[in-house]
Amino acid sequence: MIRILRQSVACIVVFTVITGVIYPLVVTGVAQLVFPHQANGSLLIDNGKTVGSSLIGQSFSSPKYFWARPSATSPMPYNAANSSGSNLGPLNPALTENVKARITQLKAADAASKQAVPVDLVTASGSGLDPDISPAAAEYQVSRVAKTRNIDESEVRKLIAEYTRDRQLGILGEPRVNVLELNLALDGLKNK
Amino acid sequence: MTYGIIQIVLFLSVVLLLVKPLGWYMTRVYENKPCGLDRILGPVERAIYRLCGVNPANEMGWKRYTVAMLAFNAAGFIVLYALMRLQGFLPLNPQHFPAVPSDMAFNTAVSFITNTNWQAYGGETTMSYLTQMLGLAVQNFVSAASGMAVLVALIRGFVRRNSQTIGNFWVDLTRSLLYILIPLSLIIAILLASQGVVQTFKAYPTATLVEPITMADGNSVTEQTIAVGPTASQIAIKHLGTNGGGFFNANSAHPLENPTPLSNFLEMLAIILIPGALCYTFGKMAGDTKQGWAILASMVIIFICLLALCCWSEQKGTPQLISAGADLQASSTQSGGNMEGKEVRFGIFNSALFATTTTGTSCGAVNSMHDSYTPLGGMVPMWLIQLGEVIFGGVGSGLYGMLAFAILTVFIAGLMVGRTPEYLGKKIESYEMKMASLVILLPIFLALVGTAVAVATKAGQAGAFNPGPHGFSEILYGYSSATNNNGSAFGGLSCNTPFYNYTLAIAMLGGRYLFKILMLAIAGSLAAKKYVPASAGTLSTSDSMFVILLISVVIVVGALSFIPALALGPIVEHLMMIGR
Amino acid sequence: MSSIAKGKKMFDWAIVRPAILDSFCKLSPRRQFRNPVMFVVLVGSILTSLLFVQALLGKGEAGPWFILGISFWLWFTVLFANFAEAMAEGHGRAQADSLRKARKDLVAKKLSNPRRDSSLEMVLASLLKKGDVVLVEAGDYIPIDGEVIEGVASVDESAVTGESAPVIRESGGDRSAVTGGTRVISDWLVIRVTAESGNTFLDRMIAMVEGAKRQKTPNEIALTILLAALTIVFLVVCATLLPFSYYSVLQAHQDQSRVVTITVLVALLVCLAPTTIGALLSAIGIAGMSRLSQANVVAMSGRAVEAAGDVDVLLLDKTGTITLGNRQATEFIAADGVSMEDLADAAQLASLADETPEGRSIVVLAKQQYNLRGRDIEKLGAKFIPFSAQTRMSGVDLDNRHIRKGAVDAIEQFVKSRGGVIPDKVRLASQNVAKNGGTPLVVADGAKALGVIHLKDIVKGGIKERFGDLRRMGIKTVMITGDNPMTAAAIAAEAGVDDFLAEATPEAKLELIRRYQAHGHLVAMTGDGTNDAPALAQADVAVAMNTGTQAAKEAGNMVDLDSNPTKLLDIVQIGKQTLMTRGALTTFSIANDVAKYFAIIPAAFALTYPSLNTLNVMALATPNSAILSAVIFNAIIIVFLIPLALKGVKYRPMPATQLLRKNLLIYGVGGLIVPFIGIKLIDMLLVVLHLV
């Protein structure tokens, strides 16, 4: 009995060292050496200033930007230090209200648009940090952004195409548009 | 749609392709035969035995094996609890998180030693890097290895004849870790890092927002703090060990924990790989691989049926979203469907596939929020958990749970053909039936009684976040998940209260250890039996008839025990949703 | 079978009436507690009765008449279960009664010494002790079980076996056991008592068929555990529904009066719990025993019946089981220089006085083939030399001829002693006969060997098919014979057995059984002689012939009153049937639950969530009628299944998988569908009768 206790303690110590120290250090070493950009958060640096991560969405509400998906993080949307979804149930009246309010907002920002509103643009993502919107959601916003920025819609569409990622390896996942990168590119157009 | 189905087919094909090689490899590991890696790791293995004072040749009876397993888990609990309570004084805490409160620390420690990984905490807001690495990640490894050890002991029970022993726990534990979990984790971790999963010890970086956010109180937020950490190493084992406790609160929905569709594919694969391959290992060790394939086939069939229901329901979405004015139609430019709580890069099919995978196994990692699923879509993960985590199930635990169902199945089937039942040449008698019945009874009892206590008390009622039947579903899901050591949740449940922390911890402990003890008792009893040769009168346990019967027993037990409760949760919610 | 209650109708009033009375006697909680499923139902019945009283007083949770209706049918569920058991016991008791008639309290002539001529004392049979010696004379009943130590007598055993022809009992050998209650018809016997009153064969037999001494068999225990576990699951499911309902009512912002009532939960529990199999479980076991006694086999324990279902190796005696007891002459093979007619003539002469079937068949063959008419041995003035164990031959001495027939080696000795030799052709011919499964008889006239008679073992008609069936069931057949290996192999091939043991000795038999058991097989065998006793004791299922010795009967765990070795096959079938009936009803019981959920769940919760009415797929009239219909169905299905429980599920030999598929279709799928129809019909009836 005593021997089993001694073995238990010895084992937990040994395995803590192996799996809790050696293993993560090896992975960190390899990752930092081979994939330093990814391992540190895929940060986007603009003129030496960190403007975000290509994997983490940001909140946009100005009509000149493409809007990202609603985010349920607190206290502010897209709080990358506290990821969270809304956890609203499918029949929760709050969910329906949120969706309705968002649609009203979208319609108000572009009164002329008669298109149906893509669902991802009005529903909160699971992490609250979703960097992407669907190509449909991007297309929905083209006219508003082009109008606000006073540029040709085709030019906006060209940028969208540029920042649209197709299915990985041609099969996996869904096609998607990275909002932060797209908006940075839009701002870049103006600076050119 | 088409792409969704292609991806599912691709996923299942890859899983099935890998089952045999990995299953074969694990057989070599557990039968203590040369497996390739032993040439490099053999000295390490021997050094571990020396350090721990273990004589690998010492065989244990089932009672001794059980005591060793329990003692080891208890030691793990103490270390983990201490780490959380003391993290404020310990290094590698760049965000200066204080000690984890006692009830949450208790819940979390229990949850990690039991391979549940229920998240009462939010990783990036509660746990220091040291706690995550030295505590949580270590338990991810060793709790998985404990489960595998118990399974191997059970298989030995079937294989051995007139034997008083079922193996050596320390050896099974060490070999599981050294030859299986650690090498696979290294590969997966590095692949994940290549996709963008972070792996760093630096403090959280800060970014300047492109567009500042104006808060309701008029203040403006201009910066975004991005939580990072030694994530990739932990996420690999979180999936491989069917643990599921995320580095971040949003778990695998978080873009730094699961950044791309490929990382998502790898994570799903990592969840299901070992439980699937263990079926082959089981057949191989039992001397008839068809036995393993039959079990695997039963799992795959149930998996596909429930996956189909989940995909269909999520893609269809809710009439409420449609009437609010959203476009749910799937097209080449959007996945459509019920996107609340889901990520655009995964869409409907990869979310549903992940949900089915993570709950069929006892992983509990999530890449979308189950709480926001449609009623039937959310019922699929909940019911998969309630089936007892046997549709692949946890590493080790899934298969030994399924074998308990198989014992029950051969008993009923044996009666139907007029023979005292036997499985793999071992007679199933009243002792095995007693234990197998308890194994099946226990999780049902804990899940239902736990839920009953919660809904009957103010403290429990306070936890429900959503109104109506959905609130009930949240509580039911919570106790089902804890009891069956899944760890996923209908996340709206405010479970970080002393009431939930303690009651769920009890459910987790009962669900894990009583279950394991009963299975080891069966192992001991089987090992001591003599072998009964098969004849034409013996019921085949590897043909399609048996597969159908096993599926029926799993489904019927799961349905009969949970239908009334589900009727008051997701079923009635669905009926309300479609306006009945 | 005359005296035993075979052919009694299933629902004979003479059995039904006491069974009904007995159903009430069995309500005692102590008896019910042995069956966890029915105990739960009993508690439910009591609980709902109390709720009814409470409702009558005006404080009830639901209408008193509804509660009464539920309560009424729950009581009936318990009574029906008791009735099933009582019916099974009744059938057994009817058999026991006819046996008991044989057990009058007899007066015995106790001898002071184990000799016929010692002094006599009249003693009540019930006072006899083991080892006492008694005298039984013509017309007397044998007072108690014993072993003949002196004398020969014919005994009428019809009271026990139902067989009216008297049997011979004599001291020594394999026919020395006598059973109390049988009657000596001629001559006398001195008997040593082997069992005391209350523990005699007849007593045990009565106890067995009555089910009084019935203990649960291992398989029954395992099944009871499973059923108890299921009951606990459903208990938890139903008990937790109360708080679930309470919470749902809270969430739906309704009045607390809408919380599901205890009555409904009890009804749900009883419907879900495996009451069908729970109610019929002990009836199935008792019925298995009585089916066995209908086949004129007495099992010493239920365990043996169950083991019979598991047997996978049958050891069968060749003679009587596989072959007809008598060998027949089929061919004459003459030696060189001997005409066929001469051989046939000599053979016939040697056999004229031979009354054995073999001998008669030689006479017949000679007549058929060579038209040699049988002659009267007296008229010929011939002297018949009977078969003896020393000479191992028989024949006639006629004038100067000494004709003999016998086994090769015996005749060889005979011929040699007279200066002759056995020609090679004769030797070869006899080997050929043996190789083909026959028995060669050499015929010699003085020093000259005339030729060989081919005696053939006649394999019973249809036995090969029967063994084929057994093989498909996964049962291996092994033929036991004293023949030499060559002969044994030929017969084994002809009969289609899987294996054989030639030149079997008791030790070899025992060894064979041990070897099979060591490989995990369950072995069954029949035996009658004292030298079979060790093997019988070793075998898992050992059927002793009633004609056999007391030692054989003591060693076996079953006694076949007909002394028919083929009975083993029936015993296996009855064993399997008993297990299958349990399995089939368990499956049926569980499959029933699906329909019951569809009946009760909407009924119980539609008040809280009207949407749940969608699940009322049977369109049952009202919630009350739905619940009541389910409970009524649950109760009367027990009565409907009593005949099945007593008769057993039909069994045909087929491979396990096929059998499983068939039974699953009937009892699994059937069990799924039947209650939907049944509950709907009852509901319609309730509506028509304005009962709801």
Side-chain angles (χ1 to χ4, degrees), chain B residues 408 411-421 427-431 433-435 437-438 440-441 444-445 447-449 451-458 461 464 466-472 475-476 530-540 543 545-546 548-549 556-557 559-565 567-569 571-572 575-576 579-580, chain C residues 218-219 221-223 225-226 228-230 232-234 236-237 239-241 243-248 250-252 268 272 306 309-312 471-475 517-522 575-577 579-584 586-587 590 593-594 597 601 605 608-615 651 654-657 659-661 663-664 667-668:
Chain B
L408 194 67
F411 182 76
I412 294 173
L415 285 182
M416 297 248 276
V417 298
R419 264 179 81 114
T420 305
K427 277 223 177 308
I428 304 302
E429 290 165 297
S430 53
Y431 184 79
M433 275 317 290
K434 200 184 294 173
M435 297 300 149
S437 296
L438 281 174
I440 286 161
L441 179 92
I444 297 170
F445 180 87
L448 287 177
V449 171
T451 310
V453 169
V455 297
T457 51
K458 282 268 176 290
Q461 289 168 5
N466 282 292
H470 201 84
F472 176 72
I475 299 172
L476 180 63
K530 62 179 182 187
Y531 175 79
V532 184
S535 73
T538 312
L539 189 80
S540 162
D543 63 359
M545 195 66 218
F546 178 75
I548 294 171
L549 205 61
V556 164
V557 170
L560 292 184
S561 348
F562 286 100
I563 276 188
L568 294 174
I571 294 177
V572 72
L575 294 171
M576 287 160 86
R580 294 290 179 109
Chain C
N219 185 274
I221 293 171
L223 182 57
I225 289 169
L226 175 65
L230 280 174
I232 296 171
V233 166
F234 291 125
V236 172
V237 167
T240 51
L241 271 180
F244 292 177
S245 166
Y246 161 77
Y247 181 75
S248 300
L250 210 66
Q251 289 286 297
L268 181 61
L272 294 179
E306 212 164 72
D310 283 346
V311 158
D312 53 1
R471 196 168 307 116
R472 250 167 285 137
M473 284 155 62
I475 298 174
Q517 286 174 335
H519 285 97
H521 294 285
L522 278 179
K576 282 198 180 295
Q577 251 188 332
L579 291 184
M580 274 168 55
T581 310
R582 284 191 202 131
T586 305
T587 311
I590 296 171
D593 284 355
V594 174
Y597 267 139
I601 290 195
F605 301 110
T608 315
Y609 293 126
S611 303
L612 283 173
N613 264 326
T614 318
L615 298 182
Y651 177 77
M654 53 172 89
T657 307
L659 197 60
L660 179 62
R661 185 178 319 133
N663 283 339
L664 260 188
Y667 299 99

Side-chain angles (χ1 to χ4, degrees), chain C residues 605-638:
Chain C
F605 301 110
L607 266 183
T608 315
Y609 293 126
S611 303
L612 283 173
N613 264 326
T614 318
L615 298 182
N616 182 5
V617 290
M618 284 173 273
L620 304 175
T622 65
N624 283 359
S625 80
I627 293 165
L628 206 51
S629 304
V631 172
I632 295 175
F633 175 83
N634 190 55
I636 62 176
I637 195 73
I638 295 172

Side-chain angles (χ1 to χ4, degrees), chain B residues 186-429:
Chain B
L186 268 175
I187 298 169
I188 299 282
I190 289 169
L191 286 175
L192 288 178
S194 80
Q195 292 299 302
V197 178
V198 287
Q199 179 72 22
T200 172
F201 288 101
K202 291 182 199 138
Y204 298 170
T206 312
T208 313
L209 287 173
V210 174
E211 183 188 350
I213 302 167
T214 313
M215 302 287 286
D217 57 10
N219 288 337
S220 137
V221 179
T222 58
E223 284 190 332
Q224 185 183 42
T225 304
I226 300 172
V228 292
T231 310
S233 57
Q234 189 170 334
I235 297 315
I237 186 61
K238 160 193 143 193
H239 290 260
L240 276 169
T242 59
N243 295 287
F247 195 92
F248 303 110
N249 186 42
N251 209 302
S252 281
H254 197 291
L256 294 181
E257 192 160 326
N258 188 5
T260 66
L262 181 60
S263 69
N264 189 59
F265 189 88
L266 286 171
E267 289 186 5
M268 292 192 296
L269 189 64
I271 293 174
I272 211 163
L273 193 56
I274 295 180
L278 279 171
C279 294
Y280 185 85
T281 305
F282 161 69
K284 188 87 188 158
M285 286 179 78
D288 179 8
T289 47
K290 273 198 266 168
Q291 302 289 346
W293 289 117
I295 298 273
L296 186 65
S298 316
M299 293 174 172
V300 169
I301 292 170
I302 298 181
F303 184 87
I304 290 177
C305 294
L306 289 173
L307 172 64
L309 174 61
C310 188
C311 287
W312 171 80
S313 183
E314 289 309 301
Q315 187 65 63
K316 203 157 180 287
T318 70
Q320 284 69 21
L321 279 179
I322 294 170
S323 68
D327 176 15
L328 271 59
Q329 197 62 45
S331 73
S332 60
T333 53
Q334 71 157 353
S335 71
N338 173 26
M339 283 300 286
E340 180 70 23
K342 297 190 182 65
E343 302 284 299
V344 166
R345 60 191 180 283
F346 306 138
I348 297 297
F349 274 73
N350 274 312
S351 300
L353 179 58
F354 198 108
T356 311
T357 307
T358 195
T359 52
T361 67
S362 73
C363 182
V366 294
N367 78 347
S368 53
M369 298 300 131
H370 296 179
D371 210 351
S372 298
Y373 271 40
T374 58
L376 293 185
M379 186 176 80
V380 167
M382 170 143 57
W383 199 48
L384 272 166
I385 292 171
Q386 291 165 342
L387 288 182
E389 293 298 18
V390 293
I391 309 311
F392 292 97
V395 283
S397 63
L399 187 52
Y400 64 65
M402 195 60 157
L403 290 177
F405 274 104
I407 287 175
L408 194 67
T409 307
V410 292
F411 182 76
I412 294 173
L415 285 182
M416 297 248 276
V417 298
R419 264 179 81 114
T420 305
E422 61 216 42
Y423 189 46
L424 299 176
K426 293 296 176 82
K427 277 223 177 308
I428 304 302
E429 290 165 297

Side-chain angles (χ1 to χ4, degrees), chain C residues 588-603:
Chain C
F588 185 85
S589 202
I590 296 171
N592 272 206
D593 284 355
V594 174
K596 291 169 184 167
Y597 267 139
F598 275 101
I600 295 186
I601 290 195

Side-chain angles (χ1 to χ4, degrees), chain C residues 525-541:
Chain C
M525 71 168 287
T526 56
D528 50 6
T530 301
N531 56 13
D532 282 334
L536 283 170
Q538 180 71 32
D540 300 283
V541 174

Side-chain angles (χ1 to χ4, degrees), chain C residues 496-520:
Chain C
V497 293
D498 298 300
D499 202 355
F500 63 87
L501 177 68
E503 287 165 355
T505 59
E507 296 75 42
K509 268 196 212 180
L510 185 61
E511 180 51 35
L512 183 71
I513 295 176
R514 289 217 172 111
R515 205 164 59 232
Y516 275 119
Q517 286 174 335
H519 285 97

Side-chain angles (χ1 to χ4, degrees), chain B residues 509-520:
Chain B
L509 285 171
R512 178 75 168 179
Y513 295 111
L514 291 180
F515 202 112
K516 270 187 168 181
I517 293 169
L518 292 168
M519 290 317 293
L520 284 170

